Amino acid sequence: MNYHNFNKSTTAAVKQPKLSDVILAQLENMILEGSLLPGEKLPPERELAKKFEVSRPSLREAIQKLEIKGLVTRKQGGGTFVSEQILSGLSDPLFELMSQSTESQFDLLEFRHGIEGMSAYYAAMRGTQADFDEIQKQHENIGNAQLENIGSENDYRQEAQAVFEFYLAICAASHNAIILHLARSMSELLVDNIEQNLTILAKRPDVFAQIADYRKRLLDAIISGQPQKAWGASHRHLAFIEEVLLKMSQDNSRMERSMRRMQRSEY
């Protein structure tokens, strides 16, 4: 065996990566985990260089590589921003069609069973105190949105946005980057779904207290670190909403049929 060649190949294999590539990997991870959001401005170079304890030329090279990958964009004199096009693959005209389809609204509820159940499970398992504080804050914001909505008839957009932010905080607490970014990429569709559900459920105001109770149980299960209980609470909450919506849809269908029969009898 040629030990000279062995030593040369071994040295090549453990060659240290370029500093800019190390910085690049850290910045990519920050984008992936949601520490840097689409459209968010990166801190100034001086601040980032201090944070990573590197020279500004190395940092600048890493940012250039991010730009080549399409992960950031630069604005002349305005700084560097995380690209808003990161999630464009899921911003499809088909989503608009889905938001207008009654059947798709029930499909979305089924989808939410999966993603919200999983995120609740992992949030209870992996969440930090900071995560729990954020979830609690977003839960309180739902109540604030409901108070502000009093007197604003049939306008549930603000409350729907608050409900979505509550679930997004749970997704973030799951520490699963795919769950988090999938939820973010579908934000408009999911907020529309929640808003439409609230608008329909407003015809049954008695159910809102029950929905709030289910949501509180979900919150308590996550914060107390009980994954199975959190998953179950999420499932029961959405199953209740789905059951009420289906019943209301069937009642409405029966009423429409009855009206048509009455109209025919008049002729």
PDB file of all heavy atoms in Angstrom, residues 181-208:
ATOM      1  N   HIS A 181     -43.116  25.801   6.821  1.00  0.00           N
ATOM      2  CA  HIS A 181     -43.108  26.482   5.527  1.00  0.00           C
ATOM      3  C   HIS A 181     -44.310  26.094   4.674  1.00  0.00           C
ATOM      4  O   HIS A 181     -44.801  26.906   3.882  1.00  0.00           O
ATOM      5  CB  HIS A 181     -41.794  26.217   4.792  1.00  0.00           C
ATOM      6  CG  HIS A 181     -40.638  26.949   5.405  1.00  0.00           C
ATOM      7  ND1 HIS A 181     -40.512  28.316   5.337  1.00  0.00           N
ATOM      8  CD2 HIS A 181     -39.582  26.514   6.136  1.00  0.00           C
ATOM      9  CE1 HIS A 181     -39.422  28.696   5.986  1.00  0.00           C
ATOM     10  NE2 HIS A 181     -38.846  27.612   6.479  1.00  0.00           N
ATOM     11  N   LEU A 182     -44.793  24.884   4.831  1.00  0.00           N
ATOM     12  CA  LEU A 182     -45.995  24.483   4.100  1.00  0.00           C
ATOM     13  C   LEU A 182     -47.186  25.320   4.573  1.00  0.00           C
ATOM     14  O   LEU A 182     -47.974  25.815   3.757  1.00  0.00           O
ATOM     15  CB  LEU A 182     -46.287  22.997   4.315  1.00  0.00           C
ATOM     16  CG  LEU A 182     -47.513  22.434   3.585  1.00  0.00           C
ATOM     17  CD1 LEU A 182     -47.382  22.622   2.083  1.00  0.00           C
ATOM     18  CD2 LEU A 182     -47.703  20.954   3.923  1.00  0.00           C
ATOM     19  N   ALA A 183     -47.303  25.492   5.890  1.00  0.00           N
ATOM     20  CA  ALA A 183     -48.395  26.310   6.433  1.00  0.00           C
ATOM     21  C   ALA A 183     -48.263  27.758   5.970  1.00  0.00           C
ATOM     22  O   ALA A 183     -49.259  28.383   5.576  1.00  0.00           O
ATOM     23  CB  ALA A 183     -48.390  26.233   7.960  1.00  0.00           C
ATOM     24  N   ARG A 184     -47.036  28.286   6.006  1.00  0.00           N
ATOM     25  CA  ARG A 184     -46.821  29.672   5.565  1.00  0.00           C
ATOM     26  C   ARG A 184     -47.175  29.841   4.088  1.00  0.00           C
ATOM     27  O   ARG A 184     -47.771  30.838   3.693  1.00  0.00           O
ATOM     28  CB  ARG A 184     -45.354  30.061   5.766  1.00  0.00           C
ATOM     29  CG  ARG A 184     -45.045  30.546   7.171  1.00  0.00           C
ATOM     30  CD  ARG A 184     -43.952  31.596   7.154  1.00  0.00           C
ATOM     31  NE  ARG A 184     -43.662  32.014   8.512  1.00  0.00           N
ATOM     32  CZ  ARG A 184     -42.649  31.586   9.238  1.00  0.00           C
ATOM     33  NH1 ARG A 184     -41.819  30.702   8.729  1.00  0.00           N
ATOM     34  NH2 ARG A 184     -42.450  32.029  10.462  1.00  0.00           N
ATOM     35  N   SER A 185     -46.779  28.866   3.280  1.00  0.00           N
ATOM     36  CA  SER A 185     -46.997  28.972   1.836  1.00  0.00           C
ATOM     37  C   SER A 185     -48.482  28.956   1.491  1.00  0.00           C
ATOM     38  O   SER A 185     -48.889  29.452   0.447  1.00  0.00           O
ATOM     39  CB  SER A 185     -46.289  27.819   1.113  1.00  0.00           C
ATOM     40  OG  SER A 185     -46.939  26.590   1.365  1.00  0.00           O
ATOM     41  N   MET A 186     -49.294  28.372   2.386  1.00  0.00           N
ATOM     42  CA  MET A 186     -50.728  28.252   2.141  1.00  0.00           C
ATOM     43  C   MET A 186     -51.522  29.260   2.962  1.00  0.00           C
ATOM     44  O   MET A 186     -52.734  29.110   3.146  1.00  0.00           O
ATOM     45  CB  MET A 186     -51.190  26.833   2.467  1.00  0.00           C
ATOM     46  CG  MET A 186     -50.555  25.766   1.609  1.00  0.00           C
ATOM     47  SD  MET A 186     -51.132  24.103   2.042  1.00  0.00           S
ATOM     48  CE  MET A 186     -52.855  24.189   1.523  1.00  0.00           C
ATOM     49  N   SER A 187     -50.850  30.293   3.456  1.00  0.00           N
ATOM     50  CA  SER A 187     -51.485  31.222   4.400  1.00  0.00           C
ATOM     51  C   SER A 187     -52.787  31.817   3.871  1.00  0.00           C
ATOM     52  O   SER A 187     -53.807  31.814   4.569  1.00  0.00           O
ATOM     53  CB  SER A 187     -50.515  32.340   4.794  1.00  0.00           C
ATOM     54  OG  SER A 187     -50.106  33.066   3.650  1.00  0.00           O
ATOM     55  N   GLU A 188     -52.775  32.330   2.630  1.00  0.00           N
ATOM     56  CA  GLU A 188     -53.973  32.966   2.087  1.00  0.00           C
ATOM     57  C   GLU A 188     -55.130  31.985   2.003  1.00  0.00           C
ATOM     58  O   GLU A 188     -56.267  32.302   2.360  1.00  0.00           O
ATOM     59  CB  GLU A 188     -53.675  33.565   0.704  1.00  0.00           C
ATOM     60  CG  GLU A 188     -52.884  34.848   0.741  1.00  0.00           C
ATOM     61  CD  GLU A 188     -53.584  35.962   1.512  1.00  0.00           C
ATOM     62  OE1 GLU A 188     -54.801  36.161   1.291  1.00  0.00           O
ATOM     63  OE2 GLU A 188     -52.928  36.610   2.342  1.00  0.00           O
ATOM     64  N   LEU A 189     -54.821  30.777   1.533  1.00  0.00           N
ATOM     65  CA  LEU A 189     -55.856  29.755   1.376  1.00  0.00           C
ATOM     66  C   LEU A 189     -56.420  29.353   2.738  1.00  0.00           C
ATOM     67  O   LEU A 189     -57.640  29.198   2.900  1.00  0.00           O
ATOM     68  CB  LEU A 189     -55.267  28.544   0.662  1.00  0.00           C
ATOM     69  CG  LEU A 189     -56.250  27.472   0.164  1.00  0.00           C
ATOM     70  CD1 LEU A 189     -57.207  28.047  -0.848  1.00  0.00           C
ATOM     71  CD2 LEU A 189     -55.501  26.301  -0.434  1.00  0.00           C
ATOM     72  N   LEU A 190     -55.561  29.190   3.721  1.00  0.00           N
ATOM     73  CA  LEU A 190     -55.997  28.763   5.043  1.00  0.00           C
ATOM     74  C   LEU A 190     -56.781  29.861   5.763  1.00  0.00           C
ATOM     75  O   LEU A 190     -57.784  29.595   6.424  1.00  0.00           O
ATOM     76  CB  LEU A 190     -54.801  28.321   5.883  1.00  0.00           C
ATOM     77  CG  LEU A 190     -54.106  27.045   5.394  1.00  0.00           C
ATOM     78  CD1 LEU A 190     -52.825  26.782   6.184  1.00  0.00           C
ATOM     79  CD2 LEU A 190     -55.038  25.841   5.500  1.00  0.00           C
ATOM     80  N   VAL A 191     -56.322  31.113   5.626  1.00  0.00           N
ATOM     81  CA  VAL A 191     -57.061  32.228   6.238  1.00  0.00           C
ATOM     82  C   VAL A 191     -58.438  32.353   5.592  1.00  0.00           C
ATOM     83  O   VAL A 191     -59.440  32.564   6.277  1.00  0.00           O
ATOM     84  CB  VAL A 191     -56.273  33.555   6.116  1.00  0.00           C
ATOM     85  CG1 VAL A 191     -57.135  34.730   6.583  1.00  0.00           C
ATOM     86  CG2 VAL A 191     -54.993  33.502   6.939  1.00  0.00           C
ATOM     87  N   ASP A 192     -58.494  32.198   4.270  1.00  0.00           N
ATOM     88  CA  ASP A 192     -59.791  32.237   3.572  1.00  0.00           C
ATOM     89  C   ASP A 192     -60.717  31.137   4.093  1.00  0.00           C
ATOM     90  O   ASP A 192     -61.911  31.355   4.302  1.00  0.00           O
ATOM     91  CB  ASP A 192     -59.600  32.055   2.060  1.00  0.00           C
ATOM     92  CG  ASP A 192     -59.072  33.303   1.384  1.00  0.00           C
ATOM     93  OD1 ASP A 192     -59.098  34.380   2.010  1.00  0.00           O
ATOM     94  OD2 ASP A 192     -58.611  33.207   0.226  1.00  0.00           O
ATOM     95  N   ASN A 193     -60.156  29.938   4.288  1.00  0.00           N
ATOM     96  CA  ASN A 193     -60.948  28.815   4.784  1.00  0.00           C
ATOM     97  C   ASN A 193     -61.506  29.106   6.170  1.00  0.00           C
ATOM     98  O   ASN A 193     -62.696  28.878   6.436  1.00  0.00           O
ATOM     99  CB  ASN A 193     -60.081  27.551   4.811  1.00  0.00           C
ATOM    100  CG  ASN A 193     -60.800  26.349   5.386  1.00  0.00           C
ATOM    101  OD1 ASN A 193     -60.455  25.861   6.454  1.00  0.00           O
ATOM    102  ND2 ASN A 193     -61.817  25.856   4.692  1.00  0.00           N
ATOM    103  N   ILE A 194     -60.656  29.626   7.043  1.00  0.00           N
ATOM    104  CA  ILE A 194     -61.097  29.948   8.409  1.00  0.00           C
ATOM    105  C   ILE A 194     -62.156  31.040   8.382  1.00  0.00           C
ATOM    106  O   ILE A 194     -63.174  30.964   9.082  1.00  0.00           O
ATOM    107  CB  ILE A 194     -59.889  30.379   9.278  1.00  0.00           C
ATOM    108  CG1 ILE A 194     -58.904  29.214   9.433  1.00  0.00           C
ATOM    109  CG2 ILE A 194     -60.354  30.854  10.653  1.00  0.00           C
ATOM    110  CD1 ILE A 194     -57.554  29.612  10.011  1.00  0.00           C
ATOM    111  N   GLU A 195     -61.934  32.066   7.535  1.00  0.00           N
ATOM    112  CA  GLU A 195     -62.896  33.165   7.443  1.00  0.00           C
ATOM    113  C   GLU A 195     -64.264  32.672   6.955  1.00  0.00           C
ATOM    114  O   GLU A 195     -65.309  33.041   7.510  1.00  0.00           O
ATOM    115  CB  GLU A 195     -62.368  34.245   6.503  1.00  0.00           C
ATOM    116  CG  GLU A 195     -63.293  35.445   6.380  1.00  0.00           C
ATOM    117  CD  GLU A 195     -62.797  36.479   5.387  1.00  0.00           C
ATOM    118  OE1 GLU A 195     -61.883  36.160   4.585  1.00  0.00           O
ATOM    119  OE2 GLU A 195     -63.333  37.608   5.400  1.00  0.00           O
ATOM    120  N   GLN A 196     -64.252  31.827   5.919  1.00  0.00           N
ATOM    121  CA  GLN A 196     -65.516  31.311   5.393  1.00  0.00           C
ATOM    122  C   GLN A 196     -66.235  30.454   6.431  1.00  0.00           C
ATOM    123  O   GLN A 196     -67.460  30.528   6.579  1.00  0.00           O
ATOM    124  CB  GLN A 196     -65.265  30.500   4.124  1.00  0.00           C
ATOM    125  CG  GLN A 196     -64.871  31.366   2.935  1.00  0.00           C
ATOM    126  CD  GLN A 196     -64.763  30.570   1.645  1.00  0.00           C
ATOM    127  OE1 GLN A 196     -65.601  29.731   1.354  1.00  0.00           O
ATOM    128  NE2 GLN A 196     -63.713  30.819   0.867  1.00  0.00           N
ATOM    129  N   ASN A 197     -65.469  29.654   7.166  1.00  0.00           N
ATOM    130  CA  ASN A 197     -66.073  28.826   8.216  1.00  0.00           C
ATOM    131  C   ASN A 197     -66.724  29.693   9.297  1.00  0.00           C
ATOM    132  O   ASN A 197     -67.841  29.428   9.740  1.00  0.00           O
ATOM    133  CB  ASN A 197     -65.029  27.906   8.844  1.00  0.00           C
ATOM    134  CG  ASN A 197     -64.518  26.845   7.888  1.00  0.00           C
ATOM    135  OD1 ASN A 197     -65.141  26.582   6.868  1.00  0.00           O
ATOM    136  ND2 ASN A 197     -63.388  26.247   8.205  1.00  0.00           N
ATOM    137  N   LEU A 198     -66.004  30.755   9.717  1.00  0.00           N
ATOM    138  CA  LEU A 198     -66.529  31.646  10.754  1.00  0.00           C
ATOM    139  C   LEU A 198     -67.799  32.351  10.278  1.00  0.00           C
ATOM    140  O   LEU A 198     -68.754  32.525  11.039  1.00  0.00           O
ATOM    141  CB  LEU A 198     -65.474  32.687  11.144  1.00  0.00           C
ATOM    142  CG  LEU A 198     -64.271  32.176  11.939  1.00  0.00           C
ATOM    143  CD1 LEU A 198     -63.221  33.270  12.072  1.00  0.00           C
ATOM    144  CD2 LEU A 198     -64.692  31.678  13.315  1.00  0.00           C
ATOM    145  N   THR A 199     -67.797  32.751   9.013  1.00  0.00           N
ATOM    146  CA  THR A 199     -68.957  33.444   8.457  1.00  0.00           C
ATOM    147  C   THR A 199     -70.189  32.542   8.460  1.00  0.00           C
ATOM    148  O   THR A 199     -71.300  32.975   8.785  1.00  0.00           O
ATOM    149  CB  THR A 199     -68.663  33.926   7.025  1.00  0.00           C
ATOM    150  OG1 THR A 199     -67.500  34.768   7.041  1.00  0.00           O
ATOM    151  CG2 THR A 199     -69.827  34.713   6.445  1.00  0.00           C
ATOM    152  N   ILE A 200     -69.986  31.269   8.110  1.00  0.00           N
ATOM    153  CA  ILE A 200     -71.103  30.317   8.107  1.00  0.00           C
ATOM    154  C   ILE A 200     -71.536  30.001   9.536  1.00  0.00           C
ATOM    155  O   ILE A 200     -72.729  29.975   9.857  1.00  0.00           O
ATOM    156  CB  ILE A 200     -70.702  29.021   7.368  1.00  0.00           C
ATOM    157  CG1 ILE A 200     -70.427  29.311   5.888  1.00  0.00           C
ATOM    158  CG2 ILE A 200     -71.795  27.960   7.502  1.00  0.00           C
ATOM    159  CD1 ILE A 200     -69.788  28.159   5.137  1.00  0.00           C
ATOM    160  N   LEU A 201     -70.555  29.779  10.408  1.00  0.00           N
ATOM    161  CA  LEU A 201     -70.867  29.420  11.797  1.00  0.00           C
ATOM    162  C   LEU A 201     -71.536  30.560  12.554  1.00  0.00           C
ATOM    163  O   LEU A 201     -72.170  30.325  13.594  1.00  0.00           O
ATOM    164  CB  LEU A 201     -69.585  29.001  12.521  1.00  0.00           C
ATOM    165  CG  LEU A 201     -68.952  27.685  12.051  1.00  0.00           C
ATOM    166  CD1 LEU A 201     -67.564  27.516  12.656  1.00  0.00           C
ATOM    167  CD2 LEU A 201     -69.833  26.491  12.401  1.00  0.00           C
ATOM    168  N   ALA A 202     -71.405  31.783  12.043  1.00  0.00           N
ATOM    169  CA  ALA A 202     -72.044  32.936  12.694  1.00  0.00           C
ATOM    170  C   ALA A 202     -73.558  32.774  12.745  1.00  0.00           C
ATOM    171  O   ALA A 202     -74.231  33.401  13.567  1.00  0.00           O
ATOM    172  CB  ALA A 202     -71.671  34.221  11.962  1.00  0.00           C
ATOM    173  N   LYS A 203     -74.094  31.921  11.862  1.00  0.00           N
ATOM    174  CA  LYS A 203     -75.540  31.642  11.884  1.00  0.00           C
ATOM    175  C   LYS A 203     -75.905  30.750  13.060  1.00  0.00           C
ATOM    176  O   LYS A 203     -77.086  30.571  13.360  1.00  0.00           O
ATOM    177  CB  LYS A 203     -75.944  30.981  10.560  1.00  0.00           C
ATOM    178  CG  LYS A 203     -75.708  31.867   9.335  1.00  0.00           C
ATOM    179  CD  LYS A 203     -75.936  31.096   8.048  1.00  0.00           C
ATOM    180  CE  LYS A 203     -75.563  31.958   6.831  1.00  0.00           C
ATOM    181  NZ  LYS A 203     -75.690  31.199   5.565  1.00  0.00           N
ATOM    182  N   ARG A 204     -74.870  30.173  13.678  1.00  0.00           N
ATOM    183  CA  ARG A 204     -75.058  29.351  14.887  1.00  0.00           C
ATOM    184  C   ARG A 204     -74.140  29.893  15.984  1.00  0.00           C
ATOM    185  O   ARG A 204     -73.161  29.256  16.363  1.00  0.00           O
ATOM    186  CB  ARG A 204     -74.692  27.891  14.581  1.00  0.00           C
ATOM    187  CG  ARG A 204     -75.718  27.109  13.775  1.00  0.00           C
ATOM    188  CD  ARG A 204     -76.823  26.547  14.667  1.00  0.00           C
ATOM    189  NE  ARG A 204     -76.302  25.876  15.851  1.00  0.00           N
ATOM    190  CZ  ARG A 204     -75.912  24.588  15.876  1.00  0.00           C
ATOM    191  NH1 ARG A 204     -75.983  23.852  14.774  1.00  0.00           N
ATOM    192  NH2 ARG A 204     -75.486  24.041  16.989  1.00  0.00           N
ATOM    193  N   PRO A 205     -74.428  31.101  16.487  1.00  0.00           N
ATOM    194  CA  PRO A 205     -73.518  31.726  17.466  1.00  0.00           C
ATOM    195  C   PRO A 205     -73.290  30.891  18.723  1.00  0.00           C
ATOM    196  O   PRO A 205     -72.297  31.079  19.424  1.00  0.00           O
ATOM    197  CB  PRO A 205     -74.218  33.062  17.796  1.00  0.00           C
ATOM    198  CG  PRO A 205     -75.630  32.890  17.344  1.00  0.00           C
ATOM    199  CD  PRO A 205     -75.588  31.938  16.199  1.00  0.00           C
ATOM    200  N   ASP A 206     -74.214  29.941  18.990  1.00  0.00           N
ATOM    201  CA  ASP A 206     -74.062  29.098  20.182  1.00  0.00           C
ATOM    202  C   ASP A 206     -72.818  28.218  20.113  1.00  0.00           C
ATOM    203  O   ASP A 206     -72.320  27.765  21.149  1.00  0.00           O
ATOM    204  CB  ASP A 206     -75.299  28.221  20.355  1.00  0.00           C
ATOM    205  CG  ASP A 206     -75.580  27.360  19.124  1.00  0.00           C
ATOM    206  OD1 ASP A 206     -75.807  27.922  18.034  1.00  0.00           O
ATOM    207  OD2 ASP A 206     -75.553  26.113  19.252  1.00  0.00           O
ATOM    208  N   VAL A 207     -72.293  27.955  18.899  1.00  0.00           N
ATOM    209  CA  VAL A 207     -71.155  27.038  18.775  1.00  0.00           C
ATOM    210  C   VAL A 207     -69.823  27.721  19.069  1.00  0.00           C
ATOM    211  O   VAL A 207     -68.824  27.048  19.310  1.00  0.00           O
ATOM    212  CB  VAL A 207     -71.093  26.376  17.376  1.00  0.00           C
ATOM    213  CG1 VAL A 207     -72.399  25.697  17.047  1.00  0.00           C
ATOM    214  CG2 VAL A 207     -70.713  27.374  16.299  1.00  0.00           C
ATOM    215  N   PHE A 208     -69.797  29.064  19.057  1.00  0.00           N
ATOM    216  CA  PHE A 208     -68.527  29.764  19.227  1.00  0.00           C
ATOM    217  C   PHE A 208     -67.899  29.497  20.595  1.00  0.00           C
ATOM    218  O   PHE A 208     -66.677  29.385  20.714  1.00  0.00           O
ATOM    219  CB  PHE A 208     -68.701  31.268  19.003  1.00  0.00           C
ATOM    220  CG  PHE A 208     -68.782  31.655  17.551  1.00  0.00           C
ATOM    221  CD1 PHE A 208     -69.810  32.449  17.086  1.00  0.00           C
ATOM    222  CD2 PHE A 208     -67.835  31.214  16.644  1.00  0.00           C
ATOM    223  CE1 PHE A 208     -69.892  32.806  15.749  1.00  0.00           C
ATOM    224  CE2 PHE A 208     -67.896  31.557  15.302  1.00  0.00           C
ATOM    225  CZ  PHE A 208     -68.935  32.357  14.845  1.00  0.00           C
TER     226      PHE A 208
END
